[in-house]
Amino acid sequence: MSPTSNLQIDADRLWDSLEEMAKIGPGVAGGNNRQTLTDADGEGRHLFKRWCEAAGATMGLDTMGNMFARREGADPQADPVYVGSHLDTQPTGGKYDGVLGVLGGLELLRTLNDLNIRTRRPIVVVNWTNEEGTRFAPAMLASGVFAGLHEEDWAKARRDASGKRFGDELKRIGWEGEEPVGARKIAAFFELHIEQGPILEDEGIDIGVVTHGQGLYWLEVTLTGKESHTGSTPMWKRRNAGLGMARVIELVHEVAMDYQPNAVGTVGQMDVHPNSRNIIPGRCTFTIDIRSPDKAVLDEMRERIEDGIDTIAEALDVDVSVEEVGHFDPVTFDETCVAAIRRAAEELGYSHRDIVSGAGHDACWINRVAPTAMVMCPCVDGLSHNEAEAITKEWAAAGANVLLRAVVETAGIEA
Ligand code: HGY
Ligand code: MN
Ligand code: MN
């Protein structure tokens, strides 16, 4: 019987914590609107800190607001094993996206306390700031700064739709730390996350062993035509930015459909100016989100779409600007960490399969600076980024048990 053989988390306690956190920044349809650097985000951070300190952890905070709850190990000099995800949500988000990974990490600390287990390496539970990228683009902003992909000043200068700066909002909610971002050494990072897609549930599988993450581009496009009267401006005389946006949305869909079954393409965020029912849209700003597990496909999609945008703009006599506001190449996670997750699922008797992550995660960036892997649990109807996002307590517990076993195996147990 290995020392890790009877390791099981307390499923009810994890579930209660998820439900408690979900009360902060409630949505309007049973989910959450706890967007990054809002007062609700600040409140959720306080609750997380309180829970971690009650579990005997010490809380670190870096200059990007990343939170690090540390449980000491027998060898305090050893690089810790990190676990975690994000507490910020989409404006119409679910209760589990990101939150399961952070509170699953907290449950791991609580369980080790219950069992009076001391790991050799310290364990750190992380809440990464602004994973979603919906208020301040790009996504995974603070983990990206931590991993050296973005300069801190650039990140802090990012503005939301109302013009507020990331850095000012982080200060305003009182969660800007002193610790230099990226200074920490990580032995390994594990992230528990809901799948946010239908594969695991459709196949009746408990655990996704994430081997890869697909790559992504976010392109912010602005088409500028001319506002004029919808009634008295002849069709031949128009410079209709709204028509241009509609054609680009269709183009993005068509290009993605050419690379099935894996590529995806969407325009989810749109702003029409002046958005008056009897004025021809003079300016449209919108974000293209394209993804593929294959880098060559991703780059070819981007090239075809940008060429198509130029053709559309010329035909409609509108001006165009395209700015890359998010990008990461497809990710291959660390084989040793992936194997630890697969072994944990095996030993715990959970059904499992290798899977590619459709969504981006902080793990995709941390994988650049430390051995990293992810474990996924199913979600109902594969639905996420929707307030109706749902998981079962059993799925949450299965994911957290696999996380616990993989982390303890990697951290080692004090002899
Ligand atoms: O966009 C993503 O994939 C992540 O949910 N931020
Ligand atoms: Mn997430
Ligand atoms: Mn998300």
Side-chain angles (χ1 to χ4, degrees):
M1 175 100 122
S2 83
T4 57
S5 53
N6 66 346
L7 272 186
Q8 300 273 339
I9 59 109
D10 179 330
D12 292 332
R13 182 171 57 191
L14 171 57
W15 197 255
D16 291 347
S17 299
L18 288 165
E19 290 306 298
E20 195 61 29
M21 182 60 76
K23 291 175 188 163
I24 298 176
V28 294
N32 273 114
N33 178 10
R34 192 173 54 244
Q35 293 184 64
T36 195
L37 307 189
T38 57
D39 293 342
D41 181 19
E43 202 187 323
R45 287 164 172 263
H46 281 297
L47 177 60
F48 175 57
K49 181 171 189 278
R50 248 194 340 271
W51 280 340
C52 291
E53 289 173 344
T58 51
M59 186 61 79
L61 184 69
D62 73 14
T63 52
M64 284 295 292
N66 296 313
M67 299 172 74
F68 304 98
R70 177 182 170 109
R71 181 179 195 265
E72 275 317 325
D75 178 357
Q77 304 311 317
D79 291 345
V81 174
Y82 283 63
V83 296
S85 190
H86 61 93
L87 291 174
D88 67 306
T89 76
Q90 288 282 333
T92 53
K95 302 190 284 193
Y96 310 104
D97 170 3
V99 186
L100 177 63
V102 177
L103 300 188
L106 169 62
E107 177 52 34
L108 192 153
L109 302 191
R110 288 169 167 170
T111 301
L112 294 176
N113 290 345
D114 292 347
L115 300 176
N116 201 16
I117 290 179
R118 215 150 113 88
T119 52
R120 184 178 73 79
R121 293 179 180 279
I123 292 175
V124 176
V125 185
V126 192
N127 168 34
W128 298 108
T129 305
N130 189 33
E131 187 281 340
E132 291 294 357
T134 184
R135 183 181 175 196
F136 298 99
M140 296 95 80
L141 182 60
S143 53
V145 175
F146 183 96
L149 282 305
H150 307 305
E151 289 301 319
E152 181 171 348
D153 293 347
W154 177 84
K156 287 187 167 173
R158 304 301 289 163
R159 290 183 186 274
D160 68 8
S162 69
K164 290 198 179 96
R165 285 179 71 260
F166 179 101
D168 298 340
E169 284 293 278
L170 180 63
K171 271 197 183 66
R172 183 185 65 80
I173 66 168
W175 281 96
E176 181 180 45
E178 309 272 308
E179 182 186 312
V181 58
R184 287 171 174 261
K185 295 284 166 270
I186 299 178
F189 176 66
F190 291 93
E191 181 168 1
L192 165 61
H193 206 287
I194 62 172
E195 180 199 338
Q196 299 183 293
I199 297 169
L200 295 175
E201 188 190 37
D202 286 354
E203 296 182 6
I205 288 179
D206 298 325
I207 295 292
V209 180
V210 187
T211 56
H212 300 81
Q214 64 178 351
L216 158 153
Y217 278 113
W218 280 0
L219 305 176
E220 186 169 283
V221 180
T222 297
L223 299 179
T224 308
K226 188 172 182 179
E227 289 140 48
S228 57
H229 199 296
T230 52
S232 51
T233 308
M235 295 303 277
W236 61 270
K237 198 173 171 49
R238 295 177 176 208
R239 298 181 59 213
N240 187 340
L243 178 57
M245 179 171 73
R247 290 184 178 172
V248 172
I249 292 171
E250 177 67 27
L251 168 69
V252 168
H253 179 81
E254 280 168 5
V255 168
M257 292 311 288
D258 285 348
Y259 299 93
Q260 290 309 300
N262 296 321
V264 289
T266 322
V267 173
Q269 178 264 335
M270 298 164 231
D271 177 78
V272 177
H273 176 82
N275 203 27
S276 163
R277 53 180 62 85
N278 45 4
I279 297 181
I280 297 168
R283 187 184 68 245
C284 290
T285 300
F286 51 99
T287 303
I288 296 171
D289 175 324
I290 51 173
R291 309 192 192 200
S292 167
D294 179 324
K295 176 162 171 41
V297 166
L298 187 64
D299 290 339
E300 193 172 294
M301 287 168 73
R302 173 175 181 168
E303 193 180 338
R304 285 184 57 191
I305 287 168
E306 289 193 300
D307 290 349
I309 290 171
D310 288 342
T311 307
I312 289 165
E314 197 180 332
L316 295 176
D317 187 19
V318 298
D319 300 325
V320 53
S321 73
V322 180
E323 183 193 350
E324 179 186 297
V325 293
H327 170 59
F328 54 85
D329 285 338
V331 166
T332 302
F333 288 117
D334 175 81
E335 278 182 13
T336 305
C337 292
V338 170
I341 287 175
R342 194 179 291 116
R343 195 168 41 251
E346 199 71 51
E347 288 171 359
L348 287 162
Y350 293 126
S351 55
H352 58 86
R353 57 157 280 172
D354 288 3
I355 195 167
V356 174
S357 175
H361 302 285
D362 295 305
C364 296
W365 280 149
I366 304 306
N367 188 57
R368 298 284 187 99
V369 292
T372 297
M374 295 186 69
V375 48
M376 283 186 171
C377 76
C379 50
V380 176
D381 291 337
L383 189 64
S384 183
H385 285 196
N386 181 309
E387 291 206 41
E389 178 185 280
I391 61 174
T392 67
K393 190 190 294 188
E394 292 67 32
W395 287 343
N401 279 329
V402 168
L403 180 77
L404 173 61
R405 186 176 288 246
V407 167
V408 167
E409 197 187 283
T410 306
I413 291 185
E414 186 191 23

